[in-house]
């Protein structure tokens, strides 16, 4: 609780009840946003990146990972003692088409896509093990009416792609909240 002489922050007002989070863009976690950064540091105790950990930006090509922005995001969270969330490992959007295709451009088999998913999750979650406290493992798997989204993940692997993604994330960091 804040003292009677100071204005309470959002994070202090709800301390012990729930975390107050913000989604950050590079200008914020690289501390270039001089207006937002003091607000982020004082008001929030949990952060999530807007895009730095999504498949496209972090794993743009089959043999290429770009960890630099995600590393800066994680460093910002550690510096400010924030609960850091990784967003997101598996999503129908912002995932490059190569993820779902073989070198000839044909759809992968179920087994091949599961291997690709596992390698990606093992690499990304493994890199941040113990530093990212929680992961958004699968994002927007359902349509607004509650039916399964007909994403390439669903069409190629089947409904258990969700279970497999959580399994792989847990294997990569058993202590992380999923």
């Amino acid at each position: 609780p804040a003292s009677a002489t100071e204005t309470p922050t959002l994070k202090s007002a709800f301390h012990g009840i729930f975390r107050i989070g913000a989604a950050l863009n590079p200008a914020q976690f690289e501390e270039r946003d001089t207006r937002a950064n003091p607000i982020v540091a004082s008001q929030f105790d949990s952060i999530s990146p807007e895009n730095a950990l999504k498949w496209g930006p972090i794993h743009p090509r089959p043999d290429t990972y770009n960890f630099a922005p995600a590393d800066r995001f994680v460093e910002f969270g550690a510096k400010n003692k924030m609960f850091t969330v990784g967003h997101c490992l598996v999503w129908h959007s912002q995932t490059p088409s190569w993820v779902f295709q073989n070198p000839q451009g044909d759809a992968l088999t179920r087994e091949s896509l599961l291997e690709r998913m596992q390698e990606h999750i093992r690499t990304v979650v493994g890199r941040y093990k113990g530093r990212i406290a929680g992961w958004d493992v699968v994002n927007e798997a359902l349509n607004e009416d509650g039916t399964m989204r007909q994403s390439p993940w669903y069409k190629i692997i089947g409904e258990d792609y969700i279970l497999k993604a959580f399994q792989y994330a847990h294997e990569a960091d058993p202590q992380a909240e999923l």
Side-chain angles (χ1 to χ4, degrees):
S3 75
T5 60
E6 59 184 66
T7 303
T9 63
L10 285 170
K11 68 183 179 185
S12 68
F14 294 98
H15 182 74
I17 301 169
F18 57 84
R19 294 181 184 97
I20 302 295
L24 303 185
N25 64 45
Q28 293 156 345
F29 61 75
E30 292 172 358
E31 301 187 70
R32 294 180 281 119
D33 188 335
T34 57
R35 290 188 69 194
N37 281 107
I39 296 167
V40 170
S42 68
Q43 299 294 321
F44 300 96
D45 56 7
S46 177
I47 56 169
S48 179
E50 287 182 348
N51 294 299
L53 283 158
K54 291 178 180 167
W55 197 309
I58 203 166
H59 194 175
R61 289 177 295 290
D63 297 320
T64 303
Y65 282 90
N66 177 17
F67 290 115
D71 287 351
R72 288 191 296 274
F73 166 75
V74 172
E75 289 163 10
F76 180 88
K79 174 184 170 186
N80 291 285
K81 297 176 177 61
M82 297 173 155
F83 184 91
T84 304
V85 178
H87 177 78
C88 63
L89 296 169
V90 174
W91 191 25
H92 68 278
S93 186
Q94 288 184 266
T95 303
S97 58
W98 69 263
V99 171
F100 307 107
Q101 300 170 346
N102 65 22
Q104 294 74 39
D106 299 320
L108 289 180
T109 64
R110 170 186 162 83
E111 294 74 27
S112 295
L113 186 53
L114 282 169
E115 286 175 21
R116 193 163 283 174
M117 177 198 291
Q118 183 177 32
E119 185 275 331
H120 174 82
I121 291 173
R122 182 182 297 136
T123 300
V124 175
V125 175
R127 181 179 183 90
Y128 300 109
K129 182 178 181 178
R131 297 186 299 153
I132 288 184
W135 287 92
D136 296 335
V137 178
V138 177
N139 195 37
E140 299 179 1
L142 303 176
N143 293 310
E144 288 186 26
D145 65 2
T147 60
M148 290 297 296
R149 184 178 303 277
Q150 298 297 303
S151 70
W153 298 108
Y154 179 81
K155 288 179 180 177
I156 297 170
I157 297 172
E159 193 170 308
D160 66 331
Y161 86 90
I162 299 169
L163 175 67
K164 290 299 203 179
F166 275 86
Q167 174 190 331
Y168 301 151
H170 179 71
E171 289 169 354
D173 187 352
Q175 302 306 311
E177 287 186 23
L178 307 178

